[in-house]
Amino acid sequence: MNVQSFQAPASVRQQLDLSDRICIITGGAGFLGRQFAEAVAEMGATPILFDLLPETLAEAQAAVAETSPRCETEQADVTDAASLRTAVGRVLERHGQIDILINNAALTKYGCDADPDKFFASFEDTSRAVWEQGLNVNLTGTALTCQIVGPIMVRQGKGSIINIGSDVGIISPDQRIYEPDGQDYEGQDFNTPAFYAVSKAGVIHLTKFLATTWAAKGVRVNAFSPAGVFRDHEQGFYRMLASRIPMGRMGAVNEYKGAIVFLASDASSFMTGHNLVMDGGRTIW
C-alpha cells in the first residue's frame, strides 16, 4: 500500500474556499443555475454559464454580476456534442482548466419544442416526442457533458462533478398533490412528468457509475437532489405538498447554495458517488 499523500486543510474556511477555480454550470441561465453561480462565485470561483439562448445568458450574467463580477457565459446545447466541445474548448483557451462541473440543465415547458402544450399530459397521453426530448436533455445531456469534461479533469488529476438529481428521482412523485381534494383545493393543471422522474433517477445512477470510473484519477462525481423551491405557489398546492414533507414546507430561494459549495469544494474531498438529498425529509416517508 502506498503512503497516503493527501492532506486535508485544517481550516474549514480553507476547505470551502474555491479561489481560482473554474466552474461550468449547464442550464446556468435558469432559476437554480443562477443561484449556483452566485454561490461558487462568492467562494472565489469563476462561474461559466452554459445555456441555449444569448438573451437569457445575458440576463443571468447581469443578475449574478450584482453579487459577483466573476461570471462568464457560453452558448451551448447539452444535447449536441459538437456544441459542447466548442464551448468547452473556448473555456480551456481562456483558463486552461476546468475544476468544477455542475450539470444542471433540464427540460422545462418553456424550453420544450416537442409539443410543449402536452408537456404536462398524463402518462397515458404523453407524447413520445416530449418523452424523448426530456430524456435527451436531462439524462443524455448530463452524460455528454461528463463525457467531454470528465477526461479533462482526469488529465488534470482533479475535479468535482455535481449532477443535479431530484427528490422525485428517489421516490415516485405524489400525484395526489395535483388533484382536487373535494373541499377547497381545486387541483393544478401541471404535474411532474414521468420523463422527469425517470431521467433524474438515471442521473443519480450515472453519478455512481462515473464515481467508480474516475475515483482513482482524482475526479469526484456526486449528485445533489433538491426538493421544489417555493416561488409564490398557489396556497392550496403549497398546503398539499408541505403536508407530505416532515419539515412542513418547501425549499427556500438560496437554501441550496451551501450544499453546492460543499460538494464543489475540498470540504467534501472524501466523498464520491454520493447523492446529497435536501428535501425537508420528504424521501424518508
Side-chain angles (χ1 to χ4, degrees):
M1 180 179 294
N2 295 330
V3 175
Q4 180 162 315
S5 59
F6 180 83
Q7 297 293 321
S11 164
V12 175
R13 288 189 178 89
Q14 189 176 348
Q15 289 182 13
L16 291 168
D17 184 30
L18 298 175
S19 295
D20 303 320
R21 300 191 191 185
I22 305 303
C23 174
I24 289 175
I25 306 173
T26 69
F31 174 69
L32 286 179
R34 296 184 188 193
Q35 292 176 57
F36 297 160
E38 292 170 352
V40 298
E42 181 180 347
M43 303 308 294
T46 298
I48 303 177
L49 313 182
F50 278 36
D51 221 308
L52 279 171
L53 301 176
E55 55 268 30
T56 56
L57 281 169
E59 292 172 4
Q61 186 177 30
V64 175
E66 292 181 6
T67 56
S68 173
R70 287 187 301 275
C71 185
E72 301 174 8
T73 64
E74 287 288 345
Q75 188 176 0
D77 180 352
V78 297
T79 68
D80 184 332
S83 171
L84 279 172
R85 290 187 191 281
T86 298
V88 169
R90 287 195 293 261
V91 173
L92 287 178
E93 287 176 4
R94 293 197 302 271
H95 299 286
Q97 66 192 61
I98 299 171
D99 305 288
I100 305 160
L101 169 63
I102 303 175
N103 280 307
N104 174 66
L107 184 68
T108 67
K109 178 180 179 180
Y110 306 103
C112 182
D113 54 27
D115 300 329
D117 291 338
K118 297 181 179 178
F119 188 85
F120 293 121
S122 66
F123 176 74
E124 295 88 342
D125 296 324
T126 297
S127 158
R128 179 169 176 175
V130 172
W131 171 270
E132 290 182 347
Q133 189 179 8
L135 294 183
N136 201 25
V137 173
N138 295 11
L139 181 54
T140 303
T142 296
L144 280 176
T145 310
C146 287
Q147 195 173 43
I148 291 167
V149 176
I152 295 168
M153 293 180 169
V154 168
R155 290 195 295 272
Q156 294 172 170
K158 61 179 181 178
S160 175
I161 296 175
I162 306 167
N163 296 325
I164 305 302
S166 171
D167 55 350
V168 297
I170 304 167
I171 59 171
S172 174
D174 190 336
Q175 307 299 339
R176 294 171 297 177
I177 67 176
Y178 308 110
E179 300 170 354
D181 65 359
Q183 300 177 33
D184 58 344
Y185 175 54
E186 297 181 356
Q188 298 294 327
D189 58 0
F190 60 86
N191 56 40
T192 300
F195 78 77
Y196 185 84
V198 170
S199 63
K200 290 302 185 179
V203 165
I204 293 167
H205 201 79
L206 175 65
T207 297
K208 299 175 183 180
F209 179 90
L210 294 178
T212 58
T213 301
W214 291 329
K217 306 294 178 58
V219 179
R220 298 185 299 108
V221 189
N222 291 291
F224 174 60
S225 288
V229 174
F230 179 66
R231 300 173 69 187
D232 296 322
H233 289 82
E234 190 271 327
Q235 284 302 302
F237 172 78
Y238 178 83
R239 184 175 67 252
M240 292 288 282
L241 177 54
S243 69
R244 289 161 172 80
I245 299 173
M247 290 184 68
R249 65 174 177 86
M250 297 176 69
V253 174
N254 298 320
E255 194 161 22
Y256 299 140
K257 287 182 173 181
I260 287 296
V261 169
F262 169 72
L263 290 173
S265 71
D266 291 342
S268 60
S269 57
F270 199 45
M271 177 184 288
T272 197
H274 182 70
N275 180 30
L276 180 60
V277 183
M278 286 187 69
D279 64 352
R282 185 184 184 191
T283 57
I284 60 176
W285 265 352

